[in-house]
Amino acid sequence: MKPQRGKTPRKRNANSPFQEPVEVYCRLRPLDDPNEPACAKPLSNSVVQLTPSDNAVVRNGQVKEYQYTFQNVFDEFSSQKAVFDRTALPLVEDLVAGKNGLLFTYGITGSGKTYTMTGVPQDQGILPRCLDVLFNSIGELQSKKYVFKPDRMNGFEVQTEADAMLERQKKDIMPNLTTPSKTPSKRPESGDIERIMDPTAVGSVEDDNCYAVFVSYIEIYNNYVYDLLDDLPYNPITGYKPPQTKILRTDSSDNMYVHNCTEVEVKQPQDAIDVFYKGQKRRKVAHTTLNAESSRSHSVFNIRLVQAPLDGKGEEVIQDSDEEAYDSDRICVSQLSLVDLAGSERTNRTKNSGDRLKEAGNINQSLMVLRTCLEILRENQTAGNSKLVPYRDSRLTHLFKTFFDGDGKVRMIVCVNPRFTEYEETIHVMKFAEMTQEVLITKSVSNNKFDMGLTPGRRRLHQHQIENGRLEEEMAPHRPQIDFSIGPPFPLLELVTPTDDLTICNIGLCLDERLRRRQLMILDYEQSCAEFRAQLVDFEKDYNSLRNKCSELEERAAMREKEASRIESKNRSLERKLEEMSRVLKDLEKENQLLGLQVQDKAWKIQVEKNAKEKLRSDYKSRLQMNNQAWEKNMEKTRRQMEIEAENQLDERDRKLDMLRDIVNEQDAVVATPRTRSRAGQNPTPKPRTHTTPASIQSARSEIDMSSIGASTIASSARAAAAGRAGNTRVPPRSAVRIPAAKSIPNLSQVGLTPTTSKSRQPVVNPRYHRRSKSSGNAEVWLEHKPVDCVDTNTLMQPKMTKKKSVSKLDVKDTKSASKYVLTHQEQDSSDELVTKLVKGDVIKTPSGGSAVVFNDVETLRRLSPGTRKRRSPTTPMYDPEMEWTDTEDRCSTAVEGHKRSKTTNL
């Protein structure tokens, strides 16, 4: 027997004259401070007046008040029961009658929409009361579980009782047997406080139909549809996987539904409430400036009632074996959608950012699309236009397209926060509500009447037969077997002859026996009555005692139930605390583990830094020692050079003195020749000139400026020469000539002489290796010429420049205050390593007022990885410790490449 499926019937009729407007109700939220003035107040049961604050900007100096009319206005003192009876109870009646309904709450954030829809356990909202009233109405008329089975295509299949029983064993009984629970069943989802149920019931229930209730819970978050009842796969490493989005589809009757959405069959209100709280835990709620628990999504709770007629016997849902056909007209699916819309927000008030700002933008966009759709619907109905309604611009309007097109009753509850700070946004809400009341919706027709030619009242007849059969079976064993005969049967009464005395005697004896038995039965009856009265009295006594005991037991049972409920509530609270503590413990363990990893990481970094510092300290000591040795060598070389220079200066002084002595002697010889001739009267023998020649004397005369030499020096030299001539013709030795003091000897630059010593006496000096010590007191100013795209190599040793000026474009004015120059050049070697060359030189002033740079050193910096270090070629020149350092800092990375050449560049 193949199960059949039924679809939600299509009851749309665009040309039907029976239309009704969208019913809009208004509810005012109580103020937190009763003494605070309100901007909204009810004038009657259907009129609300809005008044701006005293600080509001008005036109023409007059405060304009607005009045809006609704189906009904609920003030701040209206109860949840009153709101439900007026707004949602008719929708539950339509649901039982086979009609669809849509009820949604609309308003700004913090206006009481969620409270109106759900409420609290002591004072329930619309959603729990709808479930209570529905189950109060169909409580005894429900089918067994899994008789109606959803096909996930917005339809239902009908199964036989046998198939439903197998599915119940598979889904409900077997899992409980395999994994028995040690603790009693509890409902943690619905809270610890006992819920107060609504006792209302509707009377339009068809007795000959069988009913089943299915619920589903979805949300529309950031314009995406999510199933809040979907079981998420769990991974022990990554946790629960994120929920998957659902898509909207159209069934065969053009009804919109959420594809592959979870629908749960419930048999009592508490099961539906547990399902609601299960989905409520996964709903997107966040804290904002205006609301502590602000809904960040539109939630939709669907209640679907499936009903089908019973068979002719009134036992089961009719199957295709009982009738020749089974189509969708023999099953009715009605739906009630309860929508809690998220509140509209303004960014300048909420100060949202990040995800909250994105959520607020999507919420406002979906509400704007809803308003646009209703405006176009009203325009099409009033002006006769045929504009396309943009239902697909938002998932919210696309999902409820069926209702707005005329397939069910639509009602809206506008929630208003009467604070003056909400006045501007409240005006927009009121305008939208006023416009919504002008939209007309086609009335739907009831479809729960199944005309199949079956006898009405067959369910009651079947139940009556069952009760009578059960009563007969119960009374049969206790019914006594009574013998209604009071004597022997009468003998033959036919008289053959008048003298037949035997027959008459037999008749007499029979009558006597019957009379005797009658008297005995009367006595037995009287005795039995007395015994029965005594037993009845005893039974009454026992009954009274049993009733007292029963009342005592009932009181004990009530006390035990209270104690059990109290213990269960305490147990739930303790378990909840335990779960919270376990969660806190896990968080602390994770934090502790994270802190431990951080401590290990920091300890490792500290150890690395210590090792690096120790290595730097050892390297510094070794380099300092090497630097000290190099300085000692440089000092020794400088000392030797200074000695050589001093000797050269002494030799040069002696040479000049010799030249002066020869000049003086020559002059004295020239002057004394005529005197000798006059005195002796003979020509003197000429003095041999062994020391100087006339050419050398003449050159010396041209080189020396006699005016720059002191008269005393010349006189003393002349006297010494004269004394020599008087005593001997030979020139006195060097020791006989008095050498003037160091202060009286002119400098070479003052006398204008250029040293012309021989190569054997004056060594060749290289200014690169023989220059002034770095420890001199002169402060060096470095001019660093560094390109813009220079890459920092971050090598261990860097040039040490005490006073440095860095430029990327060289100018003449930059060289005026600099004494040293360095040019940074970078290139890539054959091993793809970056090599930095520092070309250094001295800045020299030119006579024309400019500057010139003499390059005297090239320093190479490179950074090599330990794994790519190559062996040093035997042809690579080793570092010569005798060479002078190019900077005051020890350079481990200095490489001497070939012969260093000096170049002069005019700037």
Side-chain angles (χ1 to χ4, degrees), residues 150-404:
D151 59 356
R152 292 184 178 271
M153 296 177 63
N154 207 34
F156 289 88
E157 298 177 353
V158 181
Q159 298 188 130
T160 60
E161 290 289 344
D163 294 339
M165 182 179 64
L166 292 176
E167 193 166 356
R168 285 195 299 272
Q169 293 178 354
K170 180 180 178 181
K171 294 183 178 181
D172 298 341
I173 299 177
M174 295 301 294
N176 295 332
L177 293 177
T178 55
T179 57
S181 178
K182 297 182 180 181
T183 58
S185 60
K186 58 181 181 179
R187 304 181 184 274
E189 294 87 358
S190 60
D192 297 333
I193 303 177
E194 185 177 358
R195 190 173 65 90
I196 301 177
M197 300 180 62
D198 195 323
T200 309
V202 298
S204 59
V205 181
E206 188 67 28
D207 294 340
D208 293 332
N209 293 346
C210 202
Y211 298 87
V213 180
F214 293 84
V215 295
S216 61
Y217 198 15
I218 63 173
E219 72 170 353
I220 302 175
Y221 176 70
N222 286 340
N223 206 22
Y224 290 100
V225 181
Y226 296 94
D227 185 7
L228 297 178
L229 304 181
D230 192 8
D231 294 332
L232 301 178
Y234 179 75
N235 191 333
I237 298 176
T238 61
Y240 288 100
K241 293 184 178 180
Q244 300 295 325
T245 59
K246 303 297 181 179
I247 60 176
L248 302 180
R249 287 188 177 179
T250 307
D251 60 8
S252 58
S253 301
D254 293 336
N255 292 317
M256 300 303 302
Y257 71 99
V258 180
H259 179 64
N260 209 15
C261 179
T262 304
E263 287 190 293
V264 182
E265 184 177 4
V266 291
K267 293 299 178 183
Q268 55 183 350
Q270 190 61 42
D271 295 341
I273 296 297
D274 292 343
V275 171
F276 170 74
Y277 277 102
K278 177 183 177 182
Q280 194 74 4
K281 288 182 178 180
R282 294 171 53 183
R283 187 184 176 189
K284 304 296 186 303
V285 179
H287 175 76
T288 62
T289 305
L290 302 179
N291 196 351
E293 294 182 358
S294 177
S295 302
R296 314 309 298 169
S297 64
H298 308 299
S299 64
V300 182
F301 189 82
N302 293 321
I303 305 173
R304 303 183 74 188
L305 179 64
V306 185
Q307 47 185 321
L310 296 173
D311 55 6
K313 297 180 181 179
E315 298 178 353
E316 299 180 4
V317 178
I318 189 170
Q319 302 289 330
D320 56 355
S321 60
D322 299 326
E323 298 293 336
E324 65 280 359
Y326 191 92
D327 52 18
S328 61
D329 293 338
R330 296 184 181 180
I331 185 173
C332 176
V333 181
S334 55
Q335 177 176 331
L336 175 60
S337 298
L338 303 176
V339 185
D340 183 13
L341 297 177
S344 59
E345 297 178 353
R346 287 189 177 183
T347 309
N348 58 354
R349 296 188 59 215
T350 58
K351 308 299 181 183
N352 288 333
S353 60
D355 293 340
R356 302 289 86 81
L357 182 60
K358 181 180 178 182
E359 293 167 355
N362 289 316
I363 291 171
N364 295 337
Q365 179 65 23
S366 60
L367 296 177
M368 183 61 67
V369 173
L370 175 62
R371 181 169 184 170
T372 303
C373 292
L374 293 179
E375 287 179 352
I376 295 178
L377 276 176
R378 183 192 62 174
E379 184 179 352
N380 291 342
Q381 292 172 1
T382 55
N385 298 335
S386 58
K387 291 184 179 180
L388 181 63
V389 183
Y391 290 117
R392 293 180 177 269
D393 290 352
S394 174
R395 297 289 193 280
L396 178 65
T397 54
H398 194 198
L399 180 61
F400 298 115
K401 172 179 177 293
T402 306
F403 291 95
F404 293 119

Side-chain angles (χ1 to χ4, degrees), residues 486-521:
I486 60 175
F490 285 97
L492 185 61
L493 299 179
E494 183 179 1
L495 296 176
V496 181
T497 60
T499 59
D500 192 359
D501 297 333
L502 182 59
T503 301
I504 296 174
C505 182
N506 291 335
I507 292 172
L509 292 174
C510 181
L511 292 174
D512 292 339
E513 182 64 22
R514 293 176 69 87
L515 182 61
R516 186 182 62 83
R517 288 189 176 184
R518 182 178 180 183
Q519 291 176 354
L520 292 175
M521 291 178 66

Side-chain angles (χ1 to χ4, degrees), residues 426-572:
T426 304
I427 286 182
H428 296 287
V429 173
M430 290 296 187
K431 291 181 180 179
F432 171 69
E434 187 178 25
M435 182 270 300
T436 304
Q437 295 183 92
E438 300 178 4
V439 179
L440 300 179
I441 303 296
T442 304
K443 290 184 178 181
S444 59
V445 182
S446 176
N447 196 29
N448 66 340
K449 303 294 182 180
F450 303 97
D451 189 7
M452 303 178 60
L454 300 177
T455 305
R458 49 191 180 276
R459 180 191 289 272
R460 293 182 181 179
L461 180 61
H462 177 66
Q463 293 178 355
H464 182 67
Q465 290 176 356
I466 293 175
E467 292 177 359
N468 289 339
R470 188 183 300 110
L471 182 60
E472 290 292 335
E473 292 177 358
E474 291 177 358
M475 294 299 296
H478 303 285
R479 186 176 297 140
Q481 301 294 332
I482 301 175
D483 186 9
F484 293 98
S485 60
I486 60 175
F490 285 97
L492 185 61
L493 299 179
E494 183 179 1
L495 296 176
V496 181
T497 60
T499 59
D500 192 359
D501 297 333
L502 182 59
T503 301
I504 296 174
C505 182
N506 291 335
I507 292 172
L509 292 174
C510 181
L511 292 174
D512 292 339
E513 182 64 22
R514 293 176 69 87
L515 182 61
R516 186 182 62 83
R517 288 189 176 184
R518 182 178 180 183
Q519 291 176 354
L520 292 175
M521 291 178 66
I522 291 172
L523 294 175
D524 189 16
Y525 172 74
E526 291 178 354
Q527 185 178 358
S528 299
C529 288
E531 292 178 358
F532 178 74
R533 290 191 183 93
Q535 292 178 359
L536 184 61
V537 171
D538 296 339
F539 176 75
E540 289 180 355
K541 293 180 180 180
D542 295 339
Y543 175 74
N544 293 330
S545 61
L546 290 174
R547 186 171 61 184
N548 295 332
K549 290 182 180 180
C550 183
S551 61
E552 292 178 359
L553 292 176
E554 287 178 354
E555 292 178 357
R556 292 180 182 179
M559 294 176 63
R560 289 184 178 180
E561 287 180 357
K562 291 182 180 179
E563 184 69 18
S565 62
R566 187 183 63 81
I567 294 174
E568 185 177 359
S569 176
K570 185 177 180 180
N571 187 20
R572 282 196 295 267

